[in-house]
Amino acid sequence: CASTHISALPQEVMVRLFRYLGPEDLCRCSQVCHAWAEVVKTGLLWRHLYPVRWARGDYYRGPPGEPDQDPDEDWVRNLQEEGRAYQEWDEDADVDESEEACEDTLAISAVRKEKKLLNGMIQNLLPAVGSSVRTLSLAYSAAVSSKMVRQILSLCPNLIHLDLTQTDVTDSAFESWAELGACRTLEHLDLSGCEKITDYTLKNLSLGLGDLTTPRLSKNSPDCKNKLLKTPPSAIKLLDKHSGYSLGRARTALVFKWRPGGRSMSCSPVWVLDPAELADIEDAADWTRREGVAGHNEGRSGILGVQAGGRSCCCRMMRSFRTDIGSTYLQQLYGTLGEVQCGHSACCSSDTALRTVKGAQCEPQATGGNTELWTKCPSEGESRTDQSGACRALRFLSLSGCYQITDFGLRCLSQAGGLPLLEHLNLSGCLFITEVGLHELVSVCPSLKDEHFYYCDNINGPHADRASGCQNLQCGFRVCCRSGE
Ligand code: FES
């Protein structure tokens, strides 16, 4: 009987086979041929990334463990020693610049391997699969820099779990969160031991999580449709590709789908054309000034970077990015929503200038005609979300040892709807916070569990008799006001 060569297998079958392979084997497979290299770049194969472990021969790639599960002490100690050795080597190398002359110990080579792996991921893998990544753990990494984290976060806008424990990152690592709204799906954020973090990071985090206080419309409200028609979050100028004449005014609306019990809410923007207003729309810029934009920061471009004509649009934003990574990020973000098109004839390659951007998981509610209004307002009892898709889904937040955090940072988190799903909050070693900031934050965290709530023993804050107190008393390497006692 005739045999079938493996190259004849359909791509879906190849993906299924590759799911049994670890990251190292997948990298080897990608070197076999172009076809296999394309299969390896399937997002499904790269959901959970653990580059620190991979650089040391541990190729685990399943979901993260339980949040309260302590890491192996020996493992952590080894990583810390490696980090120290690498730093000393790096400093010496700066002085005499004789890299070869330095002693290349096992510890140093592990960190160098990790650095190489991270650079490879940023340059080759994440531009292709970043939007599928859900977990990223860089805990105890001595090789990762703020710039690397900034690039990774820009390329991975749909992260659910981010662990940067005991890394050297600074506030600049998180700039994309506020600028691009790139942490809306985040549920777990561990910044334990990141001593350079300040309130600025919390401000960016809060901006990135979105705003739940934006007025929302109930589907039972008779004004639901009219309100969407009369008060669009933004207006987009549509031009005929061939003549260049204006076709009319497009509005952004959002389709929400809440999956009860699910891990995240999916939402996608839909552009609709109001047939009653097929006219020139030179007042579009004025709309934006009056109505604000989809994001909750006035003047900010929101999750899609869409603003009224003349000021900014996704395309302009795309062009304004100085690096390929910025463009790639937007392409991926649009890609996850359906199409990499904005609707402007000047920058879309399709024959038709009018596009409808639709997410794969959305459920449109058609109202008739070709220019239908696609809306679905969250009903009572469903998760609170704003028109830009915010759900502030954070469940775990650790800022243990981030001693520069103040009440201002806590206030940033407590605004825009607070953190309604937060269960675990670790503020041990945050030396500058007070009971005022704690009370303010806790008052908007109804899901917070006392046994998972940690802060300095010297503060007489909320739930003082039931909260778990400071976790850094016995730690030895994380900031605590009682260390040395
Ligand atoms: Fe005060 Fe640890 S920070 S007891």
Side-chain angles (χ1 to χ4, degrees), residues 64-75:
E66 288 300 309
D68 294 320
Q69 197 177 310
D70 287 329
D72 185 288
E73 275 185 32
D74 291 338
W75 166 262

Side-chain angles (χ1 to χ4, degrees), residues 429 431 456-457 470 473 480-482:
L431 305 178
C456 175
D457 289 354
C470 177
L473 286 167
C480 176
C481 68
R482 290 190 178 174

Side-chain angles (χ1 to χ4, degrees), residues 57 77 82 156 215 238 335 342 345 438 484:
R77 203 174 304 119
E82 282 177 9
C156 303
L238 299 174
C342 71
S345 58
L438 281 170

